[in-house]
Amino acid sequence: MKSALPGGVSTGGPDIEVVFNGQTLHAPAGTTVYNLLENNPPSGRLKPLGAVVNGRLRSLDHVLVSDCRVSTVDYGTRDGAGIYRRSATLILCEAVHEIDPAQTPVVGQALAGGYFFSLRRNGNGRVAVGADLVADLRERMNRIVAEDRPVRVRRVAVEEALDYFRSVNAWDKVKLLVTTRRAEVQLGSVGAFRDLVLGPLVRSTRVIHRFDLVPYASGMVLRFPAPDFQMRPMVHNQSKLYNAYREARTWNEEIGVANVGQLNEAVIQGHVSEVIHIAEGFHERKIVAIADEIRQRQPQARLVLVAGPSASGKTTFTKRLGIQLRVLGLRPVALSMDNYYVNRAATPRNSDGTYNFESLEALDLSLFNDQVCRLVDGQEVCTPVYSFSQGVRVENTVPVRLREGEILILEGIHCLNDRLTAGVPRETKYKIYVSALTQLSIDDHSRIFTADVRLMRRIVRDRLYRGYSAAATLRQWPNVRSGEDRNIFPFQEDADVMFNSALVYEPAVLRTYAERFLLEVPIDDPKMSEAYRLLRFLHLLVPLFPEEVPQNSLLREFIGGSAFRY
């Protein structure tokens, strides 16, 4: 039987039915997503960069062999942006290789609207990155884009890939691949440089026509467009965030666990216990240092404010900080911000009509400021009690007073926003930003998204202790991230100190739980593509059982077995 591609092109072969961006089409088995796009372009302003095929992210060259559901993704989506950024990184690697094959870029944190990169020569230490070199690399990248080179992806046996990466001293990839049990992997290139492909790429370099490469501190930042595909002015005031990242990265390198391959090696060879103890010791040392600084600011600092995004471990951090403050003779007094919600009828609403409990206006700011000011002045106040079941304050109140040697601790999403405590003098406040700023990378050119570690923490905690499935957590996550963008991240540089709650070994522990819970997401669930992306990452890790995780670890807040009560 003859079958026809949309547009009247006939080929031999059996038909398959493709639900393509919501439209049912018939095409011969063996057609690609790109073939379908040629005759059925989407109506959106942004060009498709890849496609989700039956819940799995694929490139536009993906071959369709049976009935399937296909939805294209563009730069305005998380999946599409990932394809774009992965491809731009490959172009940067090729540009570095063409200028000096002995050098390789090493990916770092998300910063200034892009990814921070340093340069390393033959695996023997960092290379100075000057403005002239960055300008040369930017020009070379633009040339590669203008030449419209094809992005070649070749499937090879793992043994062939290992031989190649050993020959070019890419030990980050060797250590990653020696623990895989897949028969084949993919290598990608836009020239002489070949890299391990860990996700779909674009079809040709001309697609990557908006980016920038700028000097930053000791390295450079490969900057990407905003979600609307427009370049935004560079944000420069991120010095505290940059320093927190670099501290973690330097420490990871010193203990020899800077990437997933090195972590896998530590687990398999049996010296991960030492890594765990050092990582936990590093946390304790930072908490002690923060407590010491608060003590040194006495008697002025009477109010400690702790804020950070979801699943950062703020609660455990606050409990451990409280212990260290008591060691120094300070007695922490907690004040629950939940009791300062306005009555339900006065709560702001989202555009869809639901209540917006994360809005600052959901709190009675006037009452809160008045009572906090009086507390730090040593006066007694009667704090309200809020009934969540009734959506109103009840008549009961709780008398609170800060006595000599006591210090008030507040934890909440708005704690870094000065509007929350506008009436409190700045010298009275000590602000702490807590977040899991992971600096463990997959390999030299592929980073672990900082938010992914927090997402996996939340998936595990929600499934174990809050009755939410992984699919439910994934559905809620975009709203959580949107709230963080509005209420937390704009104020992070106002903190007196940043505490990085990431633990270098934790992805291996989280795999033990998160993989099981992500496998519960149904194949036809709208969040299957996100679950599949996380599963692909988790499969790179050698699982680590949790028995050696200390009971006071921040990680215990999510996997259970903590010495603290929540």
Side-chain angles (χ1 to χ4, degrees), residues 218-291:
S218 60
M220 55 189 173
V221 172
L222 176 58
R223 301 188 65 238
F224 308 113
D228 62 358
F229 205 57
Q230 300 300 312
M231 296 299 297
R232 296 285 189 266
M234 185 167 171
V235 177
H236 292 277
N237 61 335
Q238 292 185 293
S239 60
K240 292 179 182 176
L241 184 64
Y242 171 78
N243 290 334
Y245 274 128
R246 296 311 299 166
E247 180 184 50
R249 183 75 178 193
T250 300
W251 177 78
N252 286 359
E253 291 173 348
E254 286 178 355
I255 66 169
V257 184
N259 55 55
V260 169
Q262 290 174 325
L263 176 59
N264 289 345
E265 183 179 61
V267 174
I268 289 175
Q269 294 185 358
H271 59 267
V272 73
S273 295
E274 182 181 6
V275 173
I276 292 173
H277 295 320
I278 295 173
E280 296 291 347
F282 184 75
H283 268 189
E284 192 66 17
R285 177 184 174 191
K286 294 292 292 185
I287 293 171
V288 168
I290 292 171

Side-chain angles (χ1 to χ4, degrees), residues 344-396:
R344 189 70 44 81
T347 302
R349 293 179 182 266
N350 296 307
S351 58
D352 61 2
T354 58
Y355 291 111
N356 184 358
F357 295 109
E358 292 189 347
S359 169
L360 192 59
E361 281 66 34
L363 299 171
D364 188 335
L365 293 177
S366 177
L367 176 63
F368 181 78
N369 263 274
D370 174 69
Q371 294 201 339
V372 170
C373 283
R374 290 165 60 193
L375 281 170
V376 298
D377 282 341
Q379 301 178 40
E380 182 177 292
V381 302
C382 292
T383 64
V385 176
Y386 190 85
S387 170
F388 283 90
S389 61
Q390 300 176 50
V392 295
R393 290 186 199 143
V394 296
E395 293 183 0
N396 297 338

Side-chain angles (χ1 to χ4, degrees), residues 5 73-74 93 107 131 137 164 170 272 274 285 298 308 317 383 390 430 447 517 537:
L5 280 167
V73 296
D74 58 32
C93 290
V107 71
L137 288 171
Y164 170 71
V272 73
E274 182 181 6
R285 177 184 174 191
Q298 298 305 304
F317 166 81
T383 64
Q390 300 176 50
Y430 187 86
R447 60 186 295 273
F517 300 150
F537 163 63

